[in-house]
Amino acid sequence: MARGQLGVLNALDAAKTQWYHFTAIVIAGMGFFTDAYDLFCISLVTKLLGRIYYHVDGAPKPGTLPPNVAAAVTGVAFVGTLTGQLFFGWLGDKMGRKKVYGITLILMVVCSIASGLSFGSSPKGVMATLCFFRFWLGFGIGGDYPLSATIMSEYSNKKTRGAFIAAVFAMQGFGILGGGIVALVVSSSFDRAFKAPAYSVNAAASTVPQADYVWRIILMFGAFPAAITYYWRMKMPETARYTALVAKNAKQAAADMSKVLNVDLEAEEDKVIKLTENQANSFGLFSREFLKRHGLHLLGTTSTWFLLDIAFYSQNLFQKDIFSGIGWIPPAATMNAIHEVYKIAKAQTLIALFSTVPGYWFTVAFIDVIGRFTIQLMGFFFMTVFMFALAIPYHHWTLKPNRIGFVIMYSLTFFFANFGPNSTTFVVPAEIFPARLRSTCHGISAAAGKAGAIVGAFGFLYAAQSTDPTKTDAGYPTGIGIRYSLIMLGVINFFGMLFTLLVPESKGKSLEELTGENEGEGGETELQTGPTRTVPL
């Protein structure tokens, strides 16, 4: 047992992998399935929304969302998510993880359904209510980030903690895949049931009235997987680390974990009082002591997540434009409205199936073997390499014989994002900060990531536009084009690699060893003086 370590926490650290670990992964993971489904499925239906609500009679191209509307529809959920990450992260440290956990799930379920209802029939009314509900949907999703990561971290044993937290996050890959599959099923069903000509043949008839149901069904479906886990989420006991180290209730912590682990555990009330009253375990977020111990760590987790999400979310959000550019998706005028949804969903599903999902599970398999630092550095490195490899000879990849090669290279950037920083930036903040600040610091780190996602979502809607005014989407000014957008993303990934040097390795140590919460007066944390260094030697 580590010096000063509570018996109940040591029992959790030393526990063999048990059924409750997998139960916790599924319960927390289904929230992330919904998170990813809801955040990414909007990119599948934005072109359909443009056709339905912004059709212009006689126009050579189908209607598209005006730039300000497209930016709002795409980005408003990210603004909500950022707000939710900060608020619920803080609340999770004040009220407890479990009490707040149910609130976030209810918000997600209700707002997923409501965003598909979007009251009114005018474009302005539909878009306004869609944005309203997607903001609050994002607010609930935001809370799920720090709470799920913290709960899984505090339940896990130290040997496989990284894999367990990464497995929760890996459900995001299934959420993206699930969104594509649902869109494929719904669009193909409606396309067969309601035949329509291509836009170039008959513009008005190419968008059947029933197309308005397609996007609504796709958006609403994400609520159901999360809803069925609500009961089990409420049955989970509060984590022992919160109960003992923050709520200072040794008896309850021992009782809860005795049931979970099926062993008898002693309530060490005197030790809890000694640990929690130690000045070294009572500094606040805005204290000099926090700055000294964890300031660089927080800078590392926030900066890397910020840079990663600029690249990751902009790739996801404008991948339909890339697929159109290389010919994977035919010109919009050659398809009817519903068939366009099918084509976009097919391309996104293939990318998710062969690169996104495998990348997440490679992280699960190797994170406790080679460590968080190595995976993150490697991921940023290969993302940089593949982005430049796509961007510099971009014209080469647009030629018909080379298009499959482009898709393979593009898929590899997603693979190394997920077998890389997209997973590790979620894992590390849940491990390296003290229990009383863990949820807050994870929320701050995640919010920095969502700030990056907003930059990607808003900025690259404009940046990826063609430099030729005749080839831009309606209402958009000329941009720098996809080639230079990819070069910018390569540079961003390179800076992510540099800021990774601030992120400590946390593999194989207990949470209390990492944060110094089991040390005596004036004890230093393992992150500062122990054998685990920021840069492995």
Side-chain angles (χ1 to χ4, degrees):
M1 186 186 296
R3 180 162 62 90
Q5 177 80 311
L6 290 170
V8 64
L9 304 186
N10 188 65
L12 283 167
D13 283 337
K16 292 181 179 179
T17 300
Q18 299 176 35
W19 181 249
Y20 82 87
H21 287 124
F22 296 108
T23 304
I25 288 169
V26 171
I27 293 170
M30 288 315 294
F32 264 86
F33 179 98
T34 299
D35 295 351
Y37 183 101
D38 289 327
L39 287 178
F40 291 111
C41 70
I42 195 68
S43 66
L44 298 169
V45 299
T46 48
K47 291 205 171 186
L48 177 61
L49 289 170
R51 286 193 186 231
I52 295 170
Y53 295 105
Y54 293 91
H55 170 73
V56 178
D57 289 331
K61 293 181 180 179
T64 58
L65 296 179
N68 60 328
V69 176
V73 168
T74 304
V76 71
F78 295 138
V79 177
T81 303
L82 186 157
T83 311
Q85 285 163 336
L86 293 173
F87 177 72
F88 286 116
W90 167 79
L91 202 61
D93 283 333
K94 294 299 178 186
M95 291 179 57
R97 290 55 159 133
K98 180 188 174 181
K99 287 181 181 176
V100 183
Y101 213 25
I103 300 170
T104 63
L105 194 70
I106 291 170
L107 261 176
M108 286 157 56
V109 170
V110 170
C111 293
S112 285
I113 295 169
S115 64
L117 299 175
S118 291
F119 315 114
S121 56
S122 69
K124 191 174 287 187
V126 171
M127 296 304 145
T129 54
L130 175 61
C131 288
F132 175 81
F133 287 119
R134 281 190 64 78
F135 173 84
W136 290 108
L137 170 65
F139 191 65
I141 287 172
D144 228 45
Y145 274 73
L147 293 169
S148 289
T150 301
I151 286 171
M152 200 66 240
S153 174
E154 293 180 346
Y155 263 108
S156 300
N157 60 55
K158 63 183 180 181
K159 185 179 178 183
T160 56
R161 184 179 61 238
F164 289 157
I165 305 171
V168 169
F169 195 64
M171 294 298 287
Q172 190 179 75
F174 289 123
I176 296 170
L177 180 63
I181 291 171
V182 170
L184 282 173
V185 171
V186 173
S187 60
S188 61
S189 300
F190 273 75
D191 203 19
R192 281 198 301 268
F194 306 101
K195 299 292 184 184
Y199 184 88
S200 58
V201 175
N202 188 329
S206 67
T207 306
V208 296
Q210 292 81 5
D212 198 43
Y213 293 112
V214 171
W215 69 269
R216 297 176 187 272
I217 293 170
I218 292 170
L219 293 186
M220 292 168 74
F221 187 84
F224 297 107
I228 60 176
T229 63
Y230 179 78
Y231 171 78
W232 288 278
R233 190 173 277 205
M234 291 298 93
K235 290 274 285 183
M236 288 179 75
E238 181 58 85
T239 71
R241 286 180 161 93
Y242 180 85
T243 306
L245 299 176
V246 184
K248 305 176 185 179
N249 189 338
K251 193 175 290 185
Q252 188 63 52
D256 287 343
M257 292 307 105
S258 292
K259 292 177 184 176
V260 169
L261 297 169
N262 291 316
V263 295
D264 291 327
L265 295 168
E266 182 185 349
E268 301 169 289
E269 294 184 67
D270 291 341
K271 192 179 283 188
V272 165
I273 292 169
K274 185 179 177 182
L275 284 171
T276 55
E277 289 183 352
N278 183 353
Q279 286 187 351
N281 292 332
S282 59
F283 58 84
L285 180 65
F286 299 105
S287 65
R288 284 187 178 180
E289 187 65 19
F290 179 87
L291 188 64
K292 174 186 169 185
R293 292 190 179 207
H294 300 291
L296 284 177
H297 304 148
L298 188 59
L299 175 61
T301 59
T302 52
S303 59
T304 52
W305 208 336
F306 173 77
L307 294 165
L308 176 275
D309 272 9
I310 293 176
F312 185 78
Y313 279 86
S314 59
Q315 284 180 85
N316 269 292
L317 293 167
F318 72 86
Q319 68 180 220
K320 61 183 180 295
D321 300 304
I322 289 178
F323 293 144
S324 297
I326 63 167
W328 246 37
I329 298 174
T334 64
M335 300 178 283
N336 66 51
I338 296 175
H339 193 66
E340 185 177 32
V341 175
Y342 176 84
K343 285 287 190 180
I344 294 169
K346 182 180 176 183
Q348 190 158 306
T349 301
L350 288 171
I351 290 291
L353 186 62
F354 293 110
S355 68
T356 306
V357 171
Y360 282 112
W361 291 99
F362 264 72
T363 300
V364 174
F366 293 107
I367 192 168
D368 289 311
V369 179
I370 62 177
R372 291 79 161 137
F373 179 90
T374 303
I375 288 176
Q376 183 161 312
L377 197 67
M378 175 195 69
F380 270 128
F381 172 77
F382 281 110
M383 288 172 71
T384 304
V385 169
F386 286 120
M387 280 296 177
F388 284 133
L390 287 172
I392 294 168
Y394 182 69
H395 177 71
H396 166 81
W397 296 116
T398 61
L399 301 176
K400 195 166 186 179
N402 306 321
R403 286 171 180 172
I404 295 300
F406 181 96
V407 173
I408 292 170
M409 296 275 281
Y410 186 69
S411 298
L412 284 169
T413 65
F414 273 102
F415 175 82
F416 282 106
N418 295 309
F419 182 34
N422 193 41
S423 297
T424 54
T425 52
F426 177 80
V427 173
V428 174
E431 300 179 304
I432 64 174
F433 299 107
R436 66 189 177 281
L437 300 171
R438 185 169 291 133
S439 179
T440 301
C441 290
H442 195 286
I444 292 169
S445 302
K450 279 300 166 286
I454 291 166
V455 171
F458 283 84
F460 282 94
L461 278 172
Y462 291 84
Q465 294 297 318
S466 173
T467 53
D468 183 348
T470 64
K471 295 181 180 179
T472 60
D473 290 335
Y476 284 87
T478 55
I480 60 174
I482 292 176
R483 178 173 183 260
Y484 287 106
S485 295
L486 291 171
I487 289 174
M488 282 180 65
L489 293 177
V491 172
I492 288 166
N493 290 327
F494 176 75
F495 277 103
M497 192 165 53
L498 296 181
F499 277 99
T500 295
L501 300 176
L502 298 175
V503 179
E505 179 58 76
S506 50
K507 175 172 73 81
K509 295 192 176 294
S510 80
L511 299 178
E512 289 68 44
E513 285 178 272
L514 291 166
T515 62
E517 288 170 289
N518 60 356
E519 298 294 333
E521 188 73 38
E524 295 292 325
T525 70
E526 285 285 349
L527 287 179
Q528 293 170 308
T529 62
T532 301
R533 300 178 184 270
T534 298
V535 184
L537 297 178

